[in-house]
Amino acid sequence: MNFTKTSHKFGQWADSRANTVYGLGFPSEAHLSKFAEKFSEFKEAARLAKEKSQEKMELTSSPSQESATDLQSPVTPESINGTDERVTPDAAFNAESRAEPNAVPFPHSSTSITKHWEAELATLKGNNAKLTATLLESTANVKQWKQQLAAYQEEAERLHKRVTELECISGQTTGIKTQKTELNQTIEELEAELKAKEEELEKLKEEVENADQLQTQKDSLTQKLQETELRNAELESQLLDLEQRLENSQSEDGAFRKSLRSLLELLDGKIFELTELRDSLAKLLESGCS
């Protein structure tokens, strides 16, 4: 039997003669490595014990003497029997240390040997089926535990953020108290100014009530103000119109300048062509005279 690490925290070994697979889970990778080392030690010890028992059988002269073979009992978690209890690696090591070799007498007849091994094979097949079901259940539990762990991690991150926010808020409490004190002083000053303004306003109301002339002047000023506002609105509309016209004239001026440049470029081209034509005619005239 060879122990194989199938993951960081789970390992299994198979008994090919019994057609059975055993598995065991661990809380950490260190426990898994320790169990693997102990497994190899006990495996080697079982092999040596088996060799010694074979030597004793060869030295025995009586053919009817029953021989015993030292067998290492596999350590399996109690969850294989259908319970939810977990077996720690230390408990498994203690169980292996306490395990003593069992003497298995070999029956004399071939029929009894066959029946014996058939019963053993049926038992091992049943244990294998139980172990397979347990492994499937463990796989499902692992998936569920991973989902729960992810949810717990998200909740922990959210709580951590909340704690950070609360710490920031508690750190700002002193500043808020200082600002509150300053605001209270400002409010008191504003209330005092408001009272003074109210008293002044009361005096002004008394003066307005006692002076009809001030009321007439107020109406006149109000009318003038309205007229001024209307005139201001007209002037603003005229100003906007003038600005629009200015923009249009500027755009027209730009377009005119652009067209003038294109005309100048065209005129330059024509002048260049006429110059070439004149030179060609002059050359033709000179060649004709000669």
Side-chain angles (χ1 to χ4, degrees):
M1 294 186 296
N2 294 321
F3 183 77
T4 304
K5 296 179 181 180
T6 57
S7 66
H8 295 293
K9 296 182 180 181
F10 191 85
Q12 64 183 20
W13 66 95
D15 187 354
S16 59
R17 294 174 300 178
N19 194 20
T20 305
V21 179
Y22 302 92
L24 196 62
F26 299 88
S28 65
E29 188 174 1
H31 289 85
L32 177 61
S33 301
K34 186 177 180 181
F35 180 81
E37 293 175 359
K38 290 292 182 180
F39 191 94
S40 299
E41 292 178 4
F42 280 99
K43 179 181 176 182
E44 184 66 21
R47 185 182 65 79
L48 294 175
K50 184 177 181 181
E51 291 178 356
K52 290 181 181 179
S53 64
Q54 288 178 354
E55 291 177 358
K56 290 180 181 180
M57 288 175 62
E58 291 176 356
L59 295 175
T60 302
S61 60
S62 176
S64 62
Q65 185 179 0
E66 295 179 356
S67 62
T69 303
D70 294 335
L71 300 175
Q72 177 64 31
S73 301
V75 179
T76 59
E78 295 184 2
S79 60
I80 295 176
N81 296 328
T83 62
D84 293 332
E85 297 179 358
R86 296 182 180 179
V87 179
T88 61
D90 296 335
F93 299 153
N94 295 332
E96 286 185 350
S97 300
R98 291 194 302 268
E100 296 180 356
N102 298 324
V104 180
F106 290 92
H108 296 286
S109 63
S110 60
T111 304
S112 59
I113 291 174
T114 303
K115 290 181 179 180
H116 172 73
W117 287 115
E118 286 179 353
E120 289 290 333
L121 181 60
T123 303
L124 292 174
K125 285 182 178 180
N127 292 334
N128 188 19
K130 291 179 180 179
L131 181 59
T132 303
T134 305
L135 288 175
L136 294 175
E137 184 179 359
S138 300
T139 304
N141 291 334
V142 166
K143 291 181 179 179
Q144 185 178 3
W145 294 338
K146 285 182 178 179
Q147 294 176 357
Q148 292 179 355
L149 180 61
Y152 293 154
Q153 288 177 350
E154 292 179 357
E155 183 67 16
E157 290 179 358
R158 187 183 67 80
L159 292 175
H160 181 68
K161 291 180 179 178
R162 182 59 180 168
V163 169
T164 305
E165 292 176 357
L166 292 175
E167 288 178 353
C168 294
I169 293 172
S170 63
Q172 296 174 355
T173 304
T174 306
I176 292 172
K177 288 181 179 179
T178 305
Q179 293 178 359
K180 185 178 179 181
T181 305
E182 293 177 355
L183 289 174
N184 289 331
Q185 293 177 356
T186 307
I187 289 170
E188 291 177 356
E189 294 175 357
L190 291 174
E191 287 179 351
E193 292 180 0
L194 182 61
K195 288 181 179 179
K197 294 292 182 182
E198 287 178 352
E199 292 176 357
E200 186 177 356
L201 183 60
E202 290 294 333
K203 292 178 180 179
L204 291 173
K205 284 182 179 179
E206 290 177 358
E207 292 178 358
V208 169
E209 290 176 355
N210 296 327
D212 295 335
Q213 185 178 0
L214 292 175
Q215 184 67 32
T216 305
Q217 292 177 357
K218 180 182 177 182
D219 295 337
S220 177
L221 291 173
T222 303
Q223 186 175 0
K224 289 180 179 180
L225 180 61
Q226 292 177 355
E227 292 176 356
T228 305
E229 289 178 352
L230 292 174
R231 182 61 180 169
N232 190 17
E234 292 177 358
L235 292 174
E236 286 180 354
S237 63
Q238 291 177 3
L239 180 61
L240 292 173
D241 189 13
L242 290 173
E243 289 178 352
Q244 185 67 29
R245 289 180 182 179
L246 181 60
E247 290 178 358
N248 294 333
S249 63
Q250 288 177 353
S251 61
E252 289 176 359
D253 189 21
F256 177 73
R257 289 177 180 273
K258 189 180 293 183
S259 62
L260 187 59
R261 288 194 189 93
S262 62
L263 288 174
L264 287 173
E265 292 175 356
L266 181 62
L267 184 59
D268 290 337
K270 294 296 181 180
I271 291 171
F272 182 72
E273 291 177 359
L274 289 173
T275 305
E276 289 182 349
L277 180 60
R278 180 184 175 281
D279 292 339
S280 300
L281 290 174
K283 290 178 180 179
L284 183 62
L285 183 61
E286 288 176 359
S287 62
C289 291
S290 62

